[in-house]
Amino acid sequence: MVKVTIAILTTFLLASCKDKPQKASAPVTKLVPKTKIPNTITDTHMTKVTDYLFFSDSILPEHKSILNYYFSKYGSDTTRSSYWQQEMKEGFEGLYSIGHIKNNLKMDSVFVLPPLTDIEGQCYYFTDTTLPRLQTDSYCCHPSNIFLVGDIDEDGVSEIGQYYSSCVSHYKSLYVYSLKNKAWREIGHCVYDLNYMDIDKPYSYFVKKISKNKFKMLEITDLTPDTAKIGKRNWIRFSL
């Protein structure tokens, strides 16, 4: 009986040792030279390049250098969807010639691009890249909304005007900007009421230079009951 018991115990111990997991050997560590982790500038650059390639190939193939400049300077770090690109392609209105902004022989044109970041509206860009873009918070921008009003401050660069629309209401606006310290600065503003303004006249008709650094803008509104049908005309004066 004792021999049988010893045999059973011996068999049990041998089976237990066979199923016991073996101790894993320690992994060998290889020394690898340290490599520099790429930063997000590369990803950002690639996103800008992708947007630029889409616009330059699909929208302004004859002005790739101009687009390259603007996308490098203002381009978004956010990847755009194919739907966004297609929508912008269909809505692009091309270049609009506005004449000479600077006192030279070069004709200038303006075009509109969609928001390149999430914190701005559409913007106006010029074929003369020495001019800054004109930012807006509107999504109803058209190249023909930009017009020249003459060199009011007589510095060799014409002031520009913008017909501004929020896409709703008959109350619109006219703005005048002057180039100061490499940025467009607002110097005048008036209401452009579609119910009373003569929309057959060019926007520049409503902005008149008085003398150096002085100009006026025509505003026609229904401010008083007695002029409700024809609108009240008011020339607003501005000084730089």
Side-chain angles (χ1 to χ4, degrees):
M1 184 69 178
V2 174
K3 291 182 179 181
V4 174
T5 303
I6 293 174
I8 294 174
L9 289 175
T10 301
T11 302
F12 176 78
L13 290 173
L14 289 174
S16 300
C17 292
K18 184 177 180 180
D19 295 336
K20 188 176 181 179
Q22 300 296 313
K23 182 179 180 182
S25 59
V28 178
T29 302
K30 295 183 180 180
L31 297 178
V32 180
K34 292 183 178 180
T35 57
K36 185 177 180 181
I37 299 175
N39 53 32
T40 56
I41 294 178
T42 302
D43 297 334
T44 298
H45 176 69
M46 289 306 298
T47 301
K48 293 180 181 181
V49 168
T50 301
D51 286 346
Y52 156 70
L53 290 176
F54 168 77
F55 277 96
S56 63
D57 291 341
S58 305
I59 294 180
L60 285 177
E62 298 179 359
H63 299 278
K64 291 187 176 183
S65 61
I66 294 175
L67 282 176
N68 184 39
Y69 170 80
Y70 284 126
F71 273 94
S72 297
K73 186 172 184 178
Y74 303 115
S76 173
D77 301 346
T78 303
T79 303
R80 305 294 185 175
S81 66
S82 58
Y83 173 79
W84 177 88
Q85 293 179 339
Q86 185 62 29
E87 183 181 23
M88 293 306 103
K89 179 180 178 180
E90 294 174 353
F92 186 72
E93 298 181 55
L95 300 178
Y96 179 77
S97 178
I98 58 175
H100 305 283
I101 297 180
K102 292 186 175 181
N103 188 18
N104 54 33
L105 299 178
K106 185 176 181 180
M107 291 292 292
D108 295 301
S109 296
V110 62
F111 58 96
V112 176
L113 287 181
L116 300 184
T117 69
D118 297 330
I119 58 173
E120 65 186 19
Q122 295 174 326
C123 295
Y124 295 97
Y125 296 82
F126 302 91
T127 50
D128 183 353
T129 55
T130 64
L131 297 169
R133 67 176 182 172
L134 179 63
Q135 291 182 264
T136 78
D137 58 1
S138 171
Y139 291 86
C140 291
C141 295
H142 306 281
S144 58
N145 289 356
I146 298 296
F147 56 97
L148 301 183
V149 299
D151 189 0
I152 297 174
D153 58 4
E154 300 178 6
D155 65 348
V157 181
S158 175
E159 274 60 52
I160 63 172
Q162 177 197 182
Y163 167 76
Y164 178 90
S165 173
S166 62
C167 306
V168 296
S169 172
H170 60 91
Y171 291 107
K172 312 299 181 181
S173 298
L174 292 181
Y175 288 92
V176 176
Y177 301 90
S178 183
L179 186 60
K180 302 296 181 185
N181 298 321
K182 299 181 179 180
W184 293 111
R185 179 172 67 87
E186 180 188 330
I187 58 173
H189 166 236
C190 75
V191 174
Y192 187 95
D193 192 334
L194 293 178
N195 287 349
Y196 301 98
M197 304 296 266
D198 187 348
I199 59 176
D200 292 328
K201 288 184 168 57
Y203 299 130
S204 57
Y205 171 83
F206 301 95
V207 182
K208 303 293 184 184
K209 178 179 177 180
I210 300 173
S211 61
K212 182 178 180 179
N213 293 329
K214 295 182 180 181
F215 67 101
K216 59 183 179 180
M217 302 180 71
L218 177 59
E219 185 175 79
I220 307 176
T221 61
D222 57 344
L223 295 180
T224 58
D226 58 328
T227 62
K229 292 183 179 181
I230 59 174
K232 182 178 179 180
R233 301 171 65 89
N234 180 31
W235 282 100
I236 305 173
R237 292 174 173 258
F238 300 90
S239 296
L240 275 70

